Amino acid sequence: MGAVRRAYIYIACIASLEAVAWAVISLLRDLLAPGKVTSLESTALQIASSSLALPIFLVHWLWALRLAAREAEERGAILRRLYLYGPWPLSSPPLIAKHL
């Protein structure tokens, strides 16, 4: 049961963190682009996306931290290591490509 719980927690963390990151990136790009007219709907969508996904990420991440503090098996789990090191290389290429 621990592996299923661990998988759920880290998948929810990855999905919600990516949603927050891309919503903030889109919002900042729309607001800071010179000469670009941004629609109210687009701005509202990005704000809503980030404000909904951020609490979901925080709940699951704090849950994962609490489990890791309590159980030594959780701290050494392979899935935890994959979560801690995996999303950065996976989300880097789109960010790098946007700035080239």
Side-chain angles (χ1 to χ4, degrees):
M1 190 63 173
V4 174
R5 178 186 63 195
R6 190 177 302 127
Y8 164 73
I9 291 171
Y10 292 123
I11 288 171
C13 282
I14 289 172
S16 58
L17 185 60
E18 288 291 323
V20 170
W22 286 109
V24 169
I25 289 169
S26 295
L27 180 64
L28 290 175
R29 186 180 36 183
D30 288 347
L31 293 177
L32 299 178
K36 183 176 180 182
V37 177
T38 308
S39 70
L40 183 62
E41 290 83 12
S42 174
T43 304
L45 175 66
Q46 303 312 324
I47 292 171
S49 297
S50 60
S51 64
L52 285 174
L54 185 60
I56 294 170
F57 168 74
L58 289 175
V59 165
H60 287 86
W61 180 241
L62 293 175
W63 185 12
L65 290 178
R66 189 178 36 201
L67 289 174
R70 196 172 25 180
E71 301 172 13
E73 177 189 350
E74 188 70 31
R75 286 190 296 272
I78 297 294
L79 194 57
R80 179 177 172 81
R81 292 179 189 174
L82 283 174
Y83 171 76
L84 292 175
Y85 300 114
W88 302 111
L90 293 176
S91 60
S92 298
L95 292 174
I96 293 169
K98 280 218 174 273
H99 298 291
L100 292 180

